[in-house]
Amino acid sequence: MIILTGPCVLEDRDTIMKIAESLKPLSEDKRVEFYFKASFDKANRTSISSYRGPGLDEGLKIFEEVKKEFGYKVITDIHESYQAKPASEVMDILQIPAFLCRQTDLLIEAAKTNCKINIKKGQFLAADAMKHPVEKVLQTRGVNTINYETSKENGVWLCERGNTFGYGALVVDMRNLILMREYAPVIFDATHSVQIPSTGGTTGGNSKFVPHMARAAASVGVDGFFFETHTNPSVAKSDGPNMLQIDELYKTVEDIFAIKKALKN
């Protein structure tokens, strides 16, 4: 089971290293393909005054330190085409943000690297529309057949985080998990799926629903999960309301494995 987890955004070094340390047991779990996730820049923020992160150069230095100290594989978002090459020199996965999943130049530059590519489904798109971003990446990598196996072999994943309908919340149609797996392995973004965008000048959410959403996705069947986590979500500089506290993360992961075991039996 793939688990992508970490804070939403890179904060100060001490906080990041503390969070990374707290995830060590999960990284050592033989059932888990573990990746440490954070963003060096949160370019899509509600307010101009919101904390965005340390930027590309400083962010990559922090990721290098996490890799050196803990041996973790790492994943981050990129927002502009020029970021793909320098980020790929450190990162193991490049993530395409949901709002940018149709940006051809961004997808192509990411595909030219040796990194895995995790493409988040836009909140405005139907599941079958995600065939086209997958096609852009695979064709750039010299592959013309689009299906689950070719995407898996060529390091292309899709990530579901729900759809918006204009009333300020995200709704997850679990059918999307099945439909998108026709094109690529699917990661379910459990914490972003409970976001409430742009409430009072910031993005809100309700983390109490995260374990329920994760359990539902596990029962449908996915290849992995994306969780944002923090040692203290109440002081997180981004997405605190929809984050899981570390202990709750571990409990939720165990629930997922229990569901997978029950289904197998």
Side-chain angles (χ1 to χ4, degrees), residues 112-251:
K112 289 178 180 177
T113 73
N114 293 322
C115 293
K116 289 185 171 72
I117 311 298
N118 187 40
I119 311 170
K120 286 197 165 186
K121 180 178 75 62
Q123 300 94 322
F124 47 86
L125 285 178
D128 57 3
M130 292 307 292
K131 175 182 179 179
H132 304 298
V134 173
E135 182 179 42
K136 292 174 184 178
V137 174
L138 287 178
Q139 287 196 0
T140 301
R141 291 183 169 180
V143 179
N144 291 314
T145 302
I146 304 167
N147 58 41
Y148 178 95
E149 290 300 331
T150 55
S151 291
K152 184 176 181 179
E153 290 170 5
N154 289 276
V156 185
W157 301 345
L158 291 174
C159 186
E160 167 66 324
R161 52 89 56 81
N163 288 77
T164 55
F165 295 91
Y167 56 83
L170 288 157
V171 177
V172 178
D173 183 342
M174 291 292 168
R175 294 174 297 180
N176 289 348
L177 304 177
I178 300 167
L179 293 169
M180 290 199 301
R181 286 186 95 227
E182 295 179 15
Y183 311 127
V186 171
I187 308 297
F188 179 62
D189 185 345
T191 44
H192 282 113
S193 74
V194 303
Q195 274 189 340
I196 304 173
S198 303
T199 55
T202 61
T203 295
N206 193 334
S207 63
K208 77 176 184 180
F209 295 118
V210 172
H212 301 282
M213 299 301 294
R215 290 195 291 265
S219 68
V220 173
V222 291
D223 300 271
F225 290 84
F226 180 112
F227 296 104
E228 290 188 331
T229 191
H230 201 284
T231 51
N232 185 359
S234 67
V235 300
K237 293 185 176 181
S238 178
D239 282 359
N242 54 265
M243 279 186 176
L244 284 183
Q245 202 275 340
I246 299 288
D247 291 343
E248 188 66 25
L249 169 68
Y250 280 106
K251 182 180 184 302

Side-chain angles (χ1 to χ4, degrees), residues 19-160:
I19 295 171
E21 175 71 31
S22 70
L23 294 170
K24 200 168 183 181
L26 184 59
S27 74
E28 296 170 345
D29 189 328
K30 301 301 182 184
R31 302 170 297 175
V32 172
E33 182 180 342
F34 176 85
Y35 296 85
F36 182 82
K37 187 273 166 188
S39 297
F40 58 80
D41 179 20
K42 296 296 291 185
N44 179 26
R45 302 305 306 273
T46 300
S47 170
I48 195 170
S49 62
S50 297
Y51 176 76
R52 289 182 52 167
L56 178 63
D57 293 341
E58 185 60 30
L60 291 179
K61 290 177 183 177
I62 295 173
F63 280 119
E64 284 183 320
E65 188 169 357
V66 169
K67 293 185 78 167
K68 181 178 180 181
E69 179 71 21
F70 301 103
Y72 295 165
K73 293 180 181 179
V74 290
I75 168 174
T76 196
D77 308 274
I78 57 171
H79 297 88
E80 299 186 62
S81 301
Y82 79 87
Q83 295 172 338
K85 188 176 186 300
S88 72
E89 295 173 2
V90 176
M91 310 309 295
D92 299 280
I93 304 177
L94 300 180
Q95 183 163 273
I96 307 300
F99 280 121
L100 300 177
C101 69
R102 288 164 48 92
Q103 295 297 102
T104 300
D105 290 346
L106 183 64
L107 289 162
I108 288 174
E109 290 306 310
K112 289 178 180 177
T113 73
N114 293 322
C115 293
K116 289 185 171 72
I117 311 298
N118 187 40
I119 311 170
K120 286 197 165 186
K121 180 178 75 62
Q123 300 94 322
F124 47 86
L125 285 178
D128 57 3
M130 292 307 292
K131 175 182 179 179
H132 304 298
V134 173
E135 182 179 42
K136 292 174 184 178
V137 174
L138 287 178
Q139 287 196 0
T140 301
R141 291 183 169 180
V143 179
N144 291 314
T145 302
I146 304 167
N147 58 41
Y148 178 95
E149 290 300 331
T150 55
S151 291
K152 184 176 181 179
E153 290 170 5
N154 289 276
V156 185
W157 301 345
L158 291 174
C159 186
E160 167 66 324

